[in-house]
Amino acid sequence: IPALEEMVEYINNPVFLLFCNDVKTKYNCKEQIEFSSCSWEYGWNVKFKKSGKTLCTIYPRENYFTVLVVVGKKEKDAVKAILQEFNPILRDIYCQTKDGNGQRWLMIDLEDKENMYSDIFRLIDIRRG
């Protein structure tokens, strides 16, 4: 199992560690590094869970990372209510992601703190309840 520091080196983007620290602080949780054998996203990832519920999953990339936030049946109305306030790129991701079992699995590439950083936290807030 790679250490978080090894992922920091691989991703090589200061926003990754900032994002992880912000999630840990805001939601009082720890990261769990897991291996996914899923053919869609095979490899190591970082999960943040609270009360047994996954808040988000991070997939490491070179120079950026992808954040997965699931919008379930319970969260859908709340997300739709504020969707127009989100960054246009995130709105497009939401609209282009198809429902599967009443959920949308939003895969959001993050490379800086400017574009979608705060919007991702708004999604996680809704997910958290």
Side-chain angles (χ1 to χ4, degrees), residues 1-5 7 30-35 44-47:
I1 298 176
L4 189 64
E5 293 75 25
M7 290 196 171
K30 293 181 180 180
E31 74 273 358
Q32 294 178 330
I33 298 174
E34 298 180 359
F35 188 83
W44 293 104
N45 61 56
V46 181
K47 284 192 176 164

PDB file of all heavy atoms in Angstrom, residues 1-5 7 30-35 44-47:
ATOM      1  N   ILE A   1       0.859  -1.184   0.000  1.00  0.00           N
ATOM      2  CA  ILE A   1       0.000   0.000   0.000  1.00  0.00           C
ATOM      3  C   ILE A   1       0.899   1.239   0.000  1.00  0.00           C
ATOM      4  O   ILE A   1       1.740   1.384   0.891  1.00  0.00           O
ATOM      5  CB  ILE A   1      -0.920   0.035   1.237  1.00  0.00           C
ATOM      6  CG1 ILE A   1      -1.851  -1.179   1.238  1.00  0.00           C
ATOM      7  CG2 ILE A   1      -1.725   1.330   1.268  1.00  0.00           C
ATOM      8  CD1 ILE A   1      -2.723  -1.287   2.466  1.00  0.00           C
ATOM      9  N   PRO A   2       0.720   2.107  -0.977  1.00  0.00           N
ATOM     10  CA  PRO A   2       1.534   3.315  -0.985  1.00  0.00           C
ATOM     11  C   PRO A   2       1.126   4.264   0.153  1.00  0.00           C
ATOM     12  O   PRO A   2      -0.040   4.299   0.555  1.00  0.00           O
ATOM     13  CB  PRO A   2       1.232   3.941  -2.350  1.00  0.00           C
ATOM     14  CG  PRO A   2      -0.094   3.397  -2.747  1.00  0.00           C
ATOM     15  CD  PRO A   2      -0.194   2.039  -2.117  1.00  0.00           C
ATOM     16  N   ALA A   3       2.082   5.000   0.639  1.00  0.00           N
ATOM     17  CA  ALA A   3       1.794   6.013   1.657  1.00  0.00           C
ATOM     18  C   ALA A   3       1.241   7.255   0.957  1.00  0.00           C
ATOM     19  O   ALA A   3       1.467   7.456  -0.245  1.00  0.00           O
ATOM     20  CB  ALA A   3       3.068   6.368   2.417  1.00  0.00           C
ATOM     21  N   LEU A   4       0.532   8.078   1.695  1.00  0.00           N
ATOM     22  CA  LEU A   4      -0.014   9.308   1.132  1.00  0.00           C
ATOM     23  C   LEU A   4       1.113  10.169   0.551  1.00  0.00           C
ATOM     24  O   LEU A   4       0.941  10.787  -0.500  1.00  0.00           O
ATOM     25  CB  LEU A   4      -0.812  10.081   2.193  1.00  0.00           C
ATOM     26  CG  LEU A   4      -1.619  11.268   1.667  1.00  0.00           C
ATOM     27  CD1 LEU A   4      -2.719  10.801   0.701  1.00  0.00           C
ATOM     28  CD2 LEU A   4      -2.231  12.041   2.820  1.00  0.00           C
ATOM     29  N   GLU A   5       2.256  10.169   1.211  1.00  0.00           N
ATOM     30  CA  GLU A   5       3.396  10.960   0.738  1.00  0.00           C
ATOM     31  C   GLU A   5       3.857  10.505  -0.647  1.00  0.00           C
ATOM     32  O   GLU A   5       4.285  11.315  -1.472  1.00  0.00           O
ATOM     33  CB  GLU A   5       4.561  10.888   1.734  1.00  0.00           C
ATOM     34  CG  GLU A   5       4.283  11.563   3.061  1.00  0.00           C
ATOM     35  CD  GLU A   5       3.347  10.748   3.984  1.00  0.00           C
ATOM     36  OE1 GLU A   5       3.281   9.502   3.854  1.00  0.00           O
ATOM     37  OE2 GLU A   5       2.668  11.377   4.811  1.00  0.00           O
ATOM     38  N   MET A   7       1.895   9.242  -2.921  1.00  0.00           N
ATOM     39  CA  MET A   7       0.899   9.769  -3.857  1.00  0.00           C
ATOM     40  C   MET A   7       1.135  11.253  -4.108  1.00  0.00           C
ATOM     41  O   MET A   7       0.967  11.724  -5.228  1.00  0.00           O
ATOM     42  CB  MET A   7      -0.510   9.513  -3.349  1.00  0.00           C
ATOM     43  CG  MET A   7      -0.895   8.061  -3.391  1.00  0.00           C
ATOM     44  SD  MET A   7      -2.672   7.881  -3.218  1.00  0.00           S
ATOM     45  CE  MET A   7      -2.830   6.144  -3.589  1.00  0.00           C
ATOM     46  N   LYS A  30     -10.365  10.435   8.214  1.00  0.00           N
ATOM     47  CA  LYS A  30      -9.025  10.097   7.758  1.00  0.00           C
ATOM     48  C   LYS A  30      -9.111   9.493   6.371  1.00  0.00           C
ATOM     49  O   LYS A  30     -10.142   8.920   5.994  1.00  0.00           O
ATOM     50  CB  LYS A  30      -8.361   9.091   8.696  1.00  0.00           C
ATOM     51  CG  LYS A  30      -8.058   9.635  10.057  1.00  0.00           C
ATOM     52  CD  LYS A  30      -7.374   8.578  10.890  1.00  0.00           C
ATOM     53  CE  LYS A  30      -7.059   9.117  12.268  1.00  0.00           C
ATOM     54  NZ  LYS A  30      -6.404   8.115  13.103  1.00  0.00           N
ATOM     55  N   GLU A  31      -7.995   9.560   5.660  1.00  0.00           N
ATOM     56  CA  GLU A  31      -7.956   8.923   4.343  1.00  0.00           C
ATOM     57  C   GLU A  31      -7.776   7.418   4.495  1.00  0.00           C
ATOM     58  O   GLU A  31      -7.192   6.948   5.461  1.00  0.00           O
ATOM     59  CB  GLU A  31      -6.833   9.504   3.476  1.00  0.00           C
ATOM     60  CG  GLU A  31      -5.445   9.072   3.852  1.00  0.00           C
ATOM     61  CD  GLU A  31      -4.785   9.925   4.915  1.00  0.00           C
ATOM     62  OE1 GLU A  31      -5.369  10.923   5.375  1.00  0.00           O
ATOM     63  OE2 GLU A  31      -3.652   9.591   5.294  1.00  0.00           O
ATOM     64  N   GLN A  32      -8.301   6.689   3.526  1.00  0.00           N
ATOM     65  CA  GLN A  32      -8.095   5.246   3.428  1.00  0.00           C
ATOM     66  C   GLN A  32      -7.566   4.982   2.020  1.00  0.00           C
ATOM     67  O   GLN A  32      -8.248   5.286   1.039  1.00  0.00           O
ATOM     68  CB  GLN A  32      -9.400   4.483   3.637  1.00  0.00           C
ATOM     69  CG  GLN A  32      -9.964   4.627   5.031  1.00  0.00           C
ATOM     70  CD  GLN A  32     -11.294   3.903   5.181  1.00  0.00           C
ATOM     71  OE1 GLN A  32     -12.058   3.755   4.244  1.00  0.00           O
ATOM     72  NE2 GLN A  32     -11.564   3.464   6.395  1.00  0.00           N
ATOM     73  N   ILE A  33      -6.375   4.460   1.950  1.00  0.00           N
ATOM     74  CA  ILE A  33      -5.797   4.151   0.650  1.00  0.00           C
ATOM     75  C   ILE A  33      -6.183   2.724   0.304  1.00  0.00           C
ATOM     76  O   ILE A  33      -5.932   1.802   1.077  1.00  0.00           O
ATOM     77  CB  ILE A  33      -4.272   4.362   0.661  1.00  0.00           C
ATOM     78  CG1 ILE A  33      -3.965   5.835   0.966  1.00  0.00           C
ATOM     79  CG2 ILE A  33      -3.665   3.939  -0.671  1.00  0.00           C
ATOM     80  CD1 ILE A  33      -2.510   6.158   1.148  1.00  0.00           C
ATOM     81  N   GLU A  34      -6.837   2.559  -0.847  1.00  0.00           N
ATOM     82  CA  GLU A  34      -7.363   1.262  -1.241  1.00  0.00           C
ATOM     83  C   GLU A  34      -6.980   0.964  -2.679  1.00  0.00           C
ATOM     84  O   GLU A  34      -6.699   1.864  -3.463  1.00  0.00           O
ATOM     85  CB  GLU A  34      -8.897   1.247  -1.119  1.00  0.00           C
ATOM     86  CG  GLU A  34      -9.387   1.464   0.299  1.00  0.00           C
ATOM     87  CD  GLU A  34     -10.905   1.454   0.414  1.00  0.00           C
ATOM     88  OE1 GLU A  34     -11.587   1.302  -0.622  1.00  0.00           O
ATOM     89  OE2 GLU A  34     -11.402   1.598   1.533  1.00  0.00           O
ATOM     90  N   PHE A  35      -7.012  -0.316  -3.018  1.00  0.00           N
ATOM     91  CA  PHE A  35      -6.760  -0.726  -4.395  1.00  0.00           C
ATOM     92  C   PHE A  35      -8.082  -1.145  -5.022  1.00  0.00           C
ATOM     93  O   PHE A  35      -8.829  -1.942  -4.459  1.00  0.00           O
ATOM     94  CB  PHE A  35      -5.778  -1.908  -4.459  1.00  0.00           C
ATOM     95  CG  PHE A  35      -5.346  -2.233  -5.856  1.00  0.00           C
ATOM     96  CD1 PHE A  35      -4.322  -1.529  -6.459  1.00  0.00           C
ATOM     97  CD2 PHE A  35      -5.988  -3.222  -6.585  1.00  0.00           C
ATOM     98  CE1 PHE A  35      -3.926  -1.806  -7.754  1.00  0.00           C
ATOM     99  CE2 PHE A  35      -5.603  -3.513  -7.870  1.00  0.00           C
ATOM    100  CZ  PHE A  35      -4.573  -2.799  -8.466  1.00  0.00           C
ATOM    101  N   TRP A  44      -4.668   2.266  -7.364  1.00  0.00           N
ATOM    102  CA  TRP A  44      -4.757   2.823  -6.013  1.00  0.00           C
ATOM    103  C   TRP A  44      -5.606   4.085  -6.020  1.00  0.00           C
ATOM    104  O   TRP A  44      -5.559   4.866  -6.959  1.00  0.00           O
ATOM    105  CB  TRP A  44      -3.364   3.137  -5.471  1.00  0.00           C
ATOM    106  CG  TRP A  44      -2.556   1.901  -5.245  1.00  0.00           C
ATOM    107  CD1 TRP A  44      -1.540   1.419  -6.023  1.00  0.00           C
ATOM    108  CD2 TRP A  44      -2.702   0.974  -4.168  1.00  0.00           C
ATOM    109  NE1 TRP A  44      -1.054   0.244  -5.500  1.00  0.00           N
ATOM    110  CE2 TRP A  44      -1.751  -0.056  -4.362  1.00  0.00           C
ATOM    111  CE3 TRP A  44      -3.552   0.894  -3.066  1.00  0.00           C
ATOM    112  CZ2 TRP A  44      -1.613  -1.122  -3.498  1.00  0.00           C
ATOM    113  CZ3 TRP A  44      -3.415  -0.181  -2.199  1.00  0.00           C
ATOM    114  CH2 TRP A  44      -2.457  -1.171  -2.413  1.00  0.00           C
ATOM    115  N   ASN A  45      -6.356   4.269  -4.934  1.00  0.00           N
ATOM    116  CA  ASN A  45      -7.131   5.493  -4.766  1.00  0.00           C
ATOM    117  C   ASN A  45      -7.167   5.857  -3.288  1.00  0.00           C
ATOM    118  O   ASN A  45      -6.753   5.077  -2.431  1.00  0.00           O
ATOM    119  CB  ASN A  45      -8.539   5.338  -5.355  1.00  0.00           C
ATOM    120  CG  ASN A  45      -9.346   4.244  -4.686  1.00  0.00           C
ATOM    121  OD1 ASN A  45      -9.536   4.250  -3.467  1.00  0.00           O
ATOM    122  ND2 ASN A  45      -9.825   3.287  -5.465  1.00  0.00           N
ATOM    123  N   VAL A  46      -7.637   7.052  -3.020  1.00  0.00           N
ATOM    124  CA  VAL A  46      -7.753   7.550  -1.647  1.00  0.00           C
ATOM    125  C   VAL A  46      -9.225   7.819  -1.380  1.00  0.00           C
ATOM    126  O   VAL A  46      -9.852   8.605  -2.094  1.00  0.00           O
ATOM    127  CB  VAL A  46      -6.943   8.856  -1.449  1.00  0.00           C
ATOM    128  CG1 VAL A  46      -7.046   9.339  -0.006  1.00  0.00           C
ATOM    129  CG2 VAL A  46      -5.493   8.675  -1.862  1.00  0.00           C
ATOM    130  N   LYS A  47      -9.780   7.160  -0.355  1.00  0.00           N
ATOM    131  CA  LYS A  47     -11.180   7.357   0.002  1.00  0.00           C
ATOM    132  C   LYS A  47     -11.273   8.112   1.312  1.00  0.00           C
ATOM    133  O   LYS A  47     -10.477   7.906   2.224  1.00  0.00           O
ATOM    134  CB  LYS A  47     -11.898   6.017   0.161  1.00  0.00           C
ATOM    135  CG  LYS A  47     -12.211   5.376  -1.145  1.00  0.00           C
ATOM    136  CD  LYS A  47     -13.152   4.216  -0.979  1.00  0.00           C
ATOM    137  CE  LYS A  47     -13.440   3.770  -2.384  1.00  0.00           C
ATOM    138  NZ  LYS A  47     -13.987   2.563  -2.621  1.00  0.00           N
TER     139      LYS A  47
END
